[in-house]
Amino acid sequence: MKRFLATTALCAMLPVASLAQDKPSELRVGMTTFLTGSASVFGVPAREGMEILVRRLNEDGGINGVPVRVTYIDEGAGAEALSSEFRRVAGEAEVMMSAISSGNCQTLAPLAEDLQVPNLMWDCGTQRIFEEAEYDYVFRTQANATAEMMATVLYLLEVKPDFRTIAVVNQDYAWGRDSWDIVSNALRVLKPDVEVVGEFFPAFGAPDYSAEISRLQALRPDVILSTSWGGDLDTFVQQAFQRGLMNNTTFVLPLAESSLERLGSSLPAGHIVGARGDHYFLHPERRDDEDFQAFITEFRETTGSLPIYSVFHAAQALEAMKTAYEKAIAENGVDWPNEEQLLAAFEGLEFQAFGRPITLREDNQGVEAQLLGISAQTAEYPFATLENIRIYDGAQLLPPVGEVSLDWIRGLDASYLDGIAADSFEN
């Protein structure tokens, strides 16, 4: 165990009463999410889902009798305002949850460590956080880009093994660049005959993709990858559909589960869709479970829409926090844990929200299953749903603790594919 060895030794010599902490009147939590801007189509549902789940939790008695109160911070306000608000809210909160943007996570993770406030990275994807530094106060309650992109590559190789050319259209910031690095390096070792014919990185929030679409129509790649998300992904897919780009090439959209309902008929059948985890309102293993169905129904009745993976990620963060507090209370025989006890409880934590169970590794990285499928247009819904679903075990998609993702990927060879297993669901 890398944390609190000295503290643990000292605590062993102290009476239990000296470790007790009075229950607070409420558990104050700060959560960053996009409430404005093009990414709000992704961030606002996460807040709405959190509000439903927190209300339910508090109606059930909170955490050992302590109600939870969440203060929301708008990531759309810009980096300077976000950091300032994070500091302000963290000064009063017991736990922080940040962030959506990978760029924001790279700023807020070290800030949380400096402020010594537990921070749950509830959605951001960049794998760099735990590969470039060690943290005592920062935990990721879902997968990272490595697991998500490796699952995408594996699925692509399974369903379209003969493709020869690929192009990428990604947002020009940390997530867009990092995710493409992972995919391109994985293809070099697992399918080295693939040619990259185009790399396009439009600005975050770009309103027009005419230039990129025209170039892609001339290049005619077999596959077009876009790990964009939120309003940017919606705009790109809608414009590509309108100009017929999706007729003769396969789009690979690892984050498009969050856009299915908004895109409607603009996402035709036959394209690869990922869910950044095993998040899907028709989850083949969870769809008939009472708790799953109850949440889907309440969310839809409250918001008018179906929950997307940002909502499920928010649920995971809340469940991880709740489980850690309950674990710390039980293991230490206290009514409320102190900070050291809470942080220790996150080590190796296992929890489950509306997908498969998740475990935190010793580097604080969450191990999360990954779901992908093929878009299908049916009469049942006015938007694409998924068929030919595969769910991959998250552990086989990550490098060992202490290894850098790109170094690990570059050291793979075709034999890696032999050890991969996925559960298959045809519809």
Side-chain angles (χ1 to χ4, degrees):
M1 181 185 297
K2 67 186 182 188
R3 285 190 285 274
F4 314 123
L5 293 180
T7 301
T8 301
L10 175 61
C11 289
M13 298 183 290
L14 297 175
V16 171
S18 68
L19 300 178
Q21 181 166 313
D22 292 338
K23 281 187 183 181
S25 59
E26 60 184 8
L27 173 56
R28 294 165 294 183
V29 177
M31 179 182 180
T32 74
T33 185
F34 280 94
L35 302 177
T36 58
S38 63
S40 64
V41 297
F42 184 85
V44 169
R47 182 198 66 191
E48 293 171 333
M50 182 66 80
E51 288 174 341
I52 291 171
L53 292 168
V54 168
R55 176 182 53 76
R56 283 181 167 195
L57 175 62
N58 289 340
E59 288 175 352
D60 289 340
I63 301 175
N64 202 31
V66 176
V68 174
R69 177 170 63 88
V70 182
T71 298
Y72 299 95
I73 303 170
D74 184 11
E75 288 191 49
E80 185 174 346
L82 175 62
S83 295
S84 177
E85 273 296 280
F86 186 93
R87 286 181 178 274
R88 183 187 68 80
V89 175
E92 300 179 351
E94 283 77 25
V95 176
M96 298 295 290
M97 297 180 181
S98 67
I100 288 179
S101 164
S102 290
N104 289 338
C105 266
Q106 289 179 303
T107 298
L108 298 180
L111 179 56
E113 193 78 3
D114 289 342
L115 297 174
Q116 297 187 332
V117 57
N119 181 55
L120 306 184
M121 294 194 300
W122 68 272
D123 185 75
C124 68
T126 178
Q127 78 282 5
R128 294 183 177 183
I129 301 296
F130 297 131
E131 293 185 353
E132 297 180 353
E134 291 189 4
Y135 290 91
D136 290 333
Y137 287 84
V138 180
F139 309 86
R140 196 198 308 261
T141 55
Q142 27 73 231
N144 63 26
T146 303
E148 294 160 1
M149 295 304 110
M150 289 300 292
T152 300
V153 170
L154 294 171
Y155 190 83
L156 172 60
L157 293 177
E158 177 186 349
V159 301
K160 196 176 177 67
D162 298 328
F163 78 99
R164 293 285 186 171
T165 57
I166 187 171
V168 61
V169 183
N170 275 3
Q171 295 150 314
D172 191 11
Y173 80 114
W175 168 256
R177 296 283 180 172
D178 288 353
S179 56
W180 172 236
D181 281 345
I182 293 167
V183 171
S184 58
N185 277 278
L187 288 175
R188 286 190 189 103
V189 298
L190 300 178
K191 191 172 174 58
D193 60 339
V194 171
E195 179 186 2
V196 177
V197 297
E199 296 178 292
F200 305 98
F201 292 92
F204 189 93
D208 181 37
Y209 294 86
S210 296
E212 290 83 3
I213 292 170
S214 293
R215 290 287 306 280
L216 290 166
Q217 287 175 321
L219 292 167
R220 298 177 63 85
D222 297 326
V223 169
I224 296 173
L225 169 77
S226 180
T227 69
S228 298
W229 53 275
D232 287 8
L233 178 62
D234 297 353
T235 301
F236 173 56
V237 171
Q238 288 164 348
Q239 293 178 6
F241 173 73
Q242 290 164 1
R243 293 185 57 180
L245 183 59
M246 308 185 83
N247 294 338
N248 300 307
T249 188
T250 298
F251 273 55
V252 178
L253 307 171
L255 286 75
E257 180 274 344
S258 63
S259 293
L260 293 176
E261 192 171 11
R262 295 193 306 273
L263 287 173
S265 61
S266 295
L267 179 59
H271 300 280
I272 295 174
V273 173
R276 287 203 67 212
D278 61 324
H279 308 307
Y280 182 39
F281 79 101
L282 295 174
H283 192 299
E285 296 174 333
R286 297 297 312 275
R287 60 188 297 174
D288 296 325
D289 292 349
E290 184 176 350
D291 63 330
F292 187 87
Q293 274 301 319
F295 177 69
I296 299 294
T297 299
E298 182 172 1
F299 187 91
R300 192 168 197 176
E301 290 176 348
T302 302
T303 69
S305 300
L306 290 161
I308 57 178
Y309 71 72
S310 62
V311 176
F312 294 119
H313 278 171
Q316 287 177 180
L318 181 65
E319 187 62 31
M321 182 187 74
K322 174 178 176 288
T323 303
Y325 268 99
E326 291 172 343
K327 178 182 174 184
I329 289 168
E331 288 185 344
N332 294 281
V334 295
D335 285 336
W336 198 253
N338 59 35
E339 185 177 87
E340 288 80 9
Q341 292 165 342
L342 176 64
L343 292 172
F346 275 109
E347 293 188 359
L349 188 71
E350 296 183 10
F351 57 96
Q352 183 175 13
F354 297 114
R356 288 185 176 182
I358 297 169
T359 302
L360 298 187
R361 305 195 313 180
E362 70 175 278
D363 60 353
N364 299 347
Q365 171 62 54
V367 180
E368 179 185 43
Q370 298 295 316
L371 180 152
L372 291 101
I374 298 289
S375 61
Q377 290 284 347
T378 69
E380 190 172 359
Y381 295 95
F383 53 87
T385 53
L386 302 184
E387 62 183 14
N388 198 26
I389 289 173
R390 301 288 184 271
I391 300 180
Y392 297 86
D393 178 6
Q396 62 192 348
L397 307 172
L398 290 169
V401 173
E403 291 192 26
V404 174
S405 289
L406 291 181
D407 293 341
W408 171 69
I409 291 169
R410 290 167 184 149
L412 298 175
D413 56 38
S415 65
Y416 169 72
L417 299 174
D418 298 332
I420 298 298
D423 294 312
S424 301
F425 307 88
E426 296 307 316
N427 50 49

